[in-house]
Amino acid sequence: MQLYNKLSAKEREAMLEEAGEDRLTISFYQYAKIGNPELFRDHLFVNWDQMEVLGRIYVAQEGINAQLSVPAKRFGEFKAFLDAIYFLKNIRLNIAIEQDLKSFLKLKIKVRDKILADGLDDATFDVTKKGKHVNAEKFNTLISDPNTVLVDMRNHYESEIGHFQGAVTPDVDTFRDSLPIIEEELKEFKEDKNLVMYCTGGIRCEKASAYYKHRGFKNVYQLEGGIIEYTRQVNKQNLENKFIGKNFVFDHRRAEKITDEVIAQCHQCGKACDTHINCANEACHLLFIQCEECAKKMDNCCSSECKEINALPYEEQKALRKGKHNSNKIFKKGRSPVLKFKKDPNTAIH
């Protein structure tokens, strides 16, 4: 039984380009009690590999979190497979606003302790006791209410390129960082304010809504389907769009353009820009915002040091990386001291 990818990313990319067939980039999640995540993982891999599904999926005892690329012609087959799983029947599928044949190049299904790392160790917390889901129209009404506090449950590098008008955008690196910070800053609003949250597709604010209810917040809401579903409903129903900029996504596209406004700036020169790039130096790989001019000047690198290393022959670069780990830089995501024009998100709560 094959439970691994036979093709490399480059081989898969060439195959997709040659085939030229339409694919759909899809995301979904579901909190559910899965008794044997390993067995469930294997079941998914065997079936999805046969359907030519690609993507990154996390499975845990608390549920599933999936970002996928599915051949358009096999969408019906894929949907029928999901509907045959009792806790995924009629699951909402967030279909990307912008499509790309190469959003994913491998099928990776990993078993994790949790589908969303939260840093919590509280046996009394029930993630299924969530806040109220609201659609785009109700969301717009709620966030226009002066008695509402709107909170972005994403990380700083996501909200930096796009967010809802008037939202609190915590300056955090991870979801687990955000939970205690937001609770502390909003504690005076537990009884009387509407706490409205949003994220990319819903998974983070769903867990957060359950957590804040657990911690005593009375009026807790979340944007159902996140920014992805909100944009779809706004376009379909001709509603006012209160989101500005781009929606950061976790695939090869890195972002979907929602509006024409560019609210971020190049981390190297300060020019208006909202294009994320990974530093070309493999030993760095820092995620940051870089304009076309700086990309050309710096050879797609974040610093002069990385530019010099990247210019070396590959074998020399490989020798320099030997025995070293670069994760400490990868997860800075735009916080390196070499980036002089990093724009700090607005964290003030009014």
Side-chain angles (χ1 to χ4, degrees):
M1 181 169 59
Q2 179 198 334
L3 294 173
Y4 58 91
N5 290 276
K6 290 182 177 179
L7 299 176
S8 68
K10 286 187 177 181
E11 289 172 329
R12 178 70 69 176
E13 182 177 8
M15 180 179 291
L16 292 175
E17 287 181 349
E18 183 178 352
E21 297 179 345
D22 291 340
R23 297 182 69 89
L24 299 174
T25 300
I26 298 170
S27 62
F28 71 88
Y29 71 91
Q30 182 68 291
Y31 288 104
K33 294 180 180 179
I34 300 177
N36 190 331
E38 290 80 9
L39 184 62
F40 184 56
R41 181 263 176 196
D42 294 350
H43 175 64
L44 294 180
F45 195 102
V46 169
N47 285 274
W48 284 349
D49 184 59
Q50 293 174 354
M51 296 181 208
E52 301 177 79
V53 172
L54 305 171
R56 181 174 57 249
I57 301 94
Y58 298 134
V59 176
Q61 289 187 328
E62 71 172 8
I64 179 172
N65 180 21
Q67 292 86 40
L68 305 160
S69 171
V70 181
K73 65 182 181 182
R74 305 191 75 163
F75 176 76
E77 181 184 358
F78 173 76
K79 182 67 169 61
F81 173 79
L82 292 182
D83 286 342
I85 300 171
Y86 77 95
F87 61 86
L88 296 180
K89 184 176 176 62
N90 295 322
I91 188 76
R92 184 192 63 249
L93 301 176
N94 287 326
I95 300 178
I97 305 301
E98 299 175 353
Q99 295 299 332
D100 189 320
L101 288 177
K102 298 175 284 187
S103 56
F104 293 100
L105 298 174
K106 288 189 176 184
L107 177 60
K108 297 181 180 180
I109 308 178
K110 297 183 179 181
V111 175
R112 294 282 182 87
D113 290 335
K114 296 183 179 182
I115 57 172
L116 179 60
D118 52 31
L120 302 177
D121 186 15
D122 182 353
T124 66
F125 171 54
D126 185 349
V127 70
T128 64
K129 294 182 178 179
K130 57 198 176 187
K132 298 175 184 176
H133 282 202
V134 294
N135 60 20
E137 185 176 12
K138 176 65 174 177
F139 178 81
N140 280 357
T141 301
L142 267 173
I143 65 175
S144 297
D145 185 341
N147 198 46
T148 291
V149 177
L150 176 62
V151 182
D152 192 321
M153 292 306 302
R154 301 172 303 155
N155 304 321
H156 71 91
Y157 56 91
E158 299 171 78
S159 61
E160 183 178 7
I161 63 170
H163 54 251
F164 281 101
Q165 300 171 47
V168 175
T169 55
D171 191 14
V172 296
D173 291 316
T174 66
F175 175 74
R176 69 169 66 199
D177 292 338
S178 67
L179 291 178
I181 290 174
I182 293 171
E183 181 181 6
E184 176 61 25
E185 292 186 338
L186 299 180
K187 61 184 179 182
E188 63 182 281
F189 304 138
K190 279 188 175 183
E191 297 288 336
D192 56 349
K193 292 278 189 179
N194 298 318
L195 175 57
V196 181
M197 293 169 288
Y198 70 90
C199 57
T200 308
I203 185 171
R204 284 178 278 189
C205 45
E206 180 145 328
K207 178 173 277 192
S209 73
Y211 175 74
Y212 291 125
K213 283 186 65 179
H214 177 66
R215 299 296 294 175
F217 285 80
K218 303 301 182 185
N219 307 305
V220 183
Y221 302 85
Q222 73 168 93
L223 176 59
E224 184 174 13
I227 300 164
I228 298 173
E229 177 62 14
Y230 174 87
T231 304
R232 189 190 70 78
Q233 290 181 21
V234 162
N235 292 339
K236 185 177 181 180
Q237 300 173 33
N238 197 28
L239 302 174
E240 181 183 0
N241 182 12
K242 294 181 178 290
F243 188 92
I244 53 174
K246 285 182 176 179
N247 180 27
F248 187 98
V249 294
F250 294 88
D251 58 53
H252 289 282
R253 297 171 300 152
R254 294 198 181 96
E256 291 183 329
K257 184 177 180 180
I258 308 299
T259 67
D260 291 331
E261 290 98 333
V262 178
I263 66 171
Q265 61 188 152
C266 174
H267 287 168
Q268 292 177 318
C269 73
K271 177 183 176 180
C273 179
D274 55 11
T275 301
H276 277 100
I277 186 173
N278 285 106
C279 180
N281 175 17
E282 291 286 334
C284 174
H285 207 64
L286 178 73
L287 180 72
F288 68 107
I289 296 175
Q290 186 179 57
C291 68
E292 291 182 3
E293 290 83 355
C294 287
K296 185 176 181 179
K297 176 182 176 182
M298 300 298 295
D299 292 339
N300 300 311
C301 292
C302 72
S303 65
S304 297
E305 179 185 9
C306 283
K307 181 180 177 181
E308 291 174 4
I309 293 173
N310 193 52
L312 295 173
Y314 176 75
E315 290 303 321
E316 288 188 39
Q317 292 185 49
K318 189 175 179 181
L320 287 172
R321 295 197 300 269
K322 188 174 182 180
K324 296 180 181 179
H325 299 283
N326 59 6
S327 61
N328 65 321
K329 273 203 161 185
I330 288 173
F331 293 106
K332 282 183 180 176
K333 290 187 168 68
R335 293 191 185 276
S336 171
V338 303
L339 303 174
K340 299 179 181 180
F341 288 90
K342 170 72 172 69
K343 184 178 180 180
D344 292 326
N346 173 26
T347 59
I349 296 177
H350 303 286

